[in-house]
Amino acid sequence: MSKALLRYIRLSPTKARLIAREIQGMNAELAIASLEFTPNKAARIISKVLASAVANGGYDAQEVVVLSCRVDAGPVLRRFMPRAKGRATPIRKPTSHVFVEVGTPKDSVKKTESAKKAASTPKTSKVTSTKSETSESKPKQEKAKATESKPTKKAATKSTAAKTSKTTEGEGK
C-alpha cells in the first residue's frame, strides 16, 4: 500500500470530490486513463497524484487498485473586489489537499474487513481496567456508598439544633 498527498492546491474541494469519488475502487491504470479524458482541472491534478502514489509504492499501474481518494478543504484565500460607492465584496479562493492511497487487491479486502469490524463493534468511552485497579476501586466505591447513607456529624448537629430551637420557640408562646 502506498500513498501520495498534494497539499494547498488552488482547487475547489467540492468540485474535486466529484472526480475523486469516480475513481475509488478502480484499477489504477483505468483510473489514470479515464482522468486523462475528463475535461476538468481536478481530473488533471488527481491523475498526477494517482501516478505519484503508484510510483511511490514501486508498483505497475496494472497491478494496483485505488483504495481511497480523498479531497480535504485547505485554507481559503480571501480577496476583495472593489464595487460602486466605495464598497467591496469578498472573493473566496479555496484550496484543497488531495490524498490518494493505492494498493493491491488483497490490501483492499483487508481494509474493508477491518472497516466492517470497526463498524460492528460498539464504541464505548470507558477504558477497560486491569485486575489491580478494579480491586482497589471496589473498596473506594463501598466506602463512598457507606458515607452517603450515614449522616455526617455536622449534618446531625444542625438537625438537632433546629429541633431544639423549634421546641423552645413553642414553649415560649
Side-chain angles (χ1 to χ4, degrees):
M1 182 175 0
S2 64
K3 304 171 189 177
L5 176 64
L6 178 64
R7 299 180 72 196
Y8 304 108
I9 190 71
R10 244 312 264 121
L11 176 70
S12 173
T14 53
K15 293 176 184 177
R17 284 184 190 122
L18 296 172
I19 305 299
R21 287 189 186 119
E22 289 180 9
I23 66 166
Q24 284 185 344
M26 289 177 78
N27 182 314
E29 184 180 32
L30 182 63
I32 291 170
S34 66
L35 289 173
E36 279 183 28
F37 296 105
T38 305
N40 194 331
K41 180 180 177 181
R44 289 194 313 266
I45 292 168
I46 292 173
S47 174
K48 289 179 183 179
V49 177
L50 179 57
S52 177
V54 171
N56 287 344
Y59 296 117
D60 186 28
Q62 298 170 351
E63 302 170 356
V64 292
V65 175
V66 179
L67 298 178
S68 71
C69 183
R70 189 176 72 215
V71 180
D72 298 326
V76 177
L77 302 174
R78 295 186 57 101
R79 303 290 182 255
F80 293 95
M81 171 78 72
R83 303 306 291 259
K85 297 183 181 179
R87 295 184 182 134
T89 56
I91 296 174
R92 299 177 74 247
K93 296 190 174 198
T95 62
S96 55
H97 308 307
V98 181
F99 176 79
V100 177
E101 188 174 33
V102 297
T104 59
K106 294 176 187 176
D107 294 338
S108 65
V109 172
K110 290 178 186 176
K111 189 172 183 178
T112 55
E113 287 177 359
S114 64
K116 287 179 184 177
K117 287 180 184 177
S120 65
T121 57
K123 294 182 180 180
T124 58
S125 61
K126 294 183 179 179
V127 178
T128 57
S129 59
T130 60
K131 291 180 181 179
S132 62
E133 291 176 2
T134 56
S135 62
E136 292 174 5
S137 63
K138 285 182 182 177
K140 290 178 183 177
Q141 291 172 353
E142 291 171 4
K143 287 178 185 177
K145 289 179 183 176
T147 56
E148 289 174 6
S149 61
K150 294 179 184 176
T152 59
K153 289 182 181 179
K154 290 180 182 179
T157 55
K158 287 180 182 178
S159 62
T160 54
K163 288 178 184 177
T164 56
S165 65
K166 286 180 184 177
T167 56
T168 55
E169 288 175 8
E171 291 171 5
K173 291 182 180 177

